[in-house]
Amino acid sequence: MSSWGKNNDYQTPKNYWSVQEAKEKIQNFCAYQERCAWDVKRKLFEKGIPEKDIEDLLDFLTQEKYLDEERFASSFARGKFRLKKWGKNRIQQELRMRKISQASIRAGLEEIDPEEYHDALLTQAEKKWESTQEKDPFKKRFKVIQYLMSRGFEQDLVQEAVGSLQ
């Protein structure tokens, strides 16, 4: 489990759920939108559910198809790319933080259309280039590259995109 749980004394459960109540509420939690096991564990921990019961609930949710790691990774990758314009590196980093397997991460990243990805990168690069007030072209280039890298785009693609702007 991540650091939000066991070693943080200041994070105590707010209001406790019984195991039966947790089962019902966590089903609704998972049905509302795609979730991963990490999200569910975190929610159950916050509600004071014992570790053994958390594992039982996760097994139940997986069997009933409320939780599916690959489906979550695909949905997450599509959503973060289309809505927040994140690059593949940033998406991959976030999925790893949520303890998603490498195979599921690869499957999720394949959901992103390469042409749409390249167009988004060029659009982001142009917007940042226009909005950067720097006079020195080298500093301006550096700032745009840093911005795109922080958004999670790959360095070779960023260099190519920024090179096409000059």
Side-chain angles (χ1 to χ4, degrees), residues 47-96:
K47 297 302 178 178
I49 304 299
E51 190 75 31
K52 182 185 103 27
D53 293 330
I54 288 176
E55 295 304 321
D56 293 341
L57 286 169
L58 285 174
D59 291 341
F60 168 76
L61 292 170
T62 303
Q63 288 172 357
E64 295 295 318
K65 304 275 191 260
Y66 283 99
L67 287 180
D68 185 337
E69 193 176 83
E70 195 166 315
R71 191 175 65 206
F72 171 78
S74 296
S75 173
F76 185 89
R78 276 191 316 270
K80 295 300 181 187
F81 170 67
R82 289 203 178 118
L83 298 176
K84 293 193 172 194
K85 302 298 184 210
W86 283 3
K88 290 181 180 180
N89 289 342
R90 175 93 184 261
I91 293 168
Q92 189 173 28
Q93 179 183 4
E94 290 289 327
L95 288 171
R96 265 197 238 116

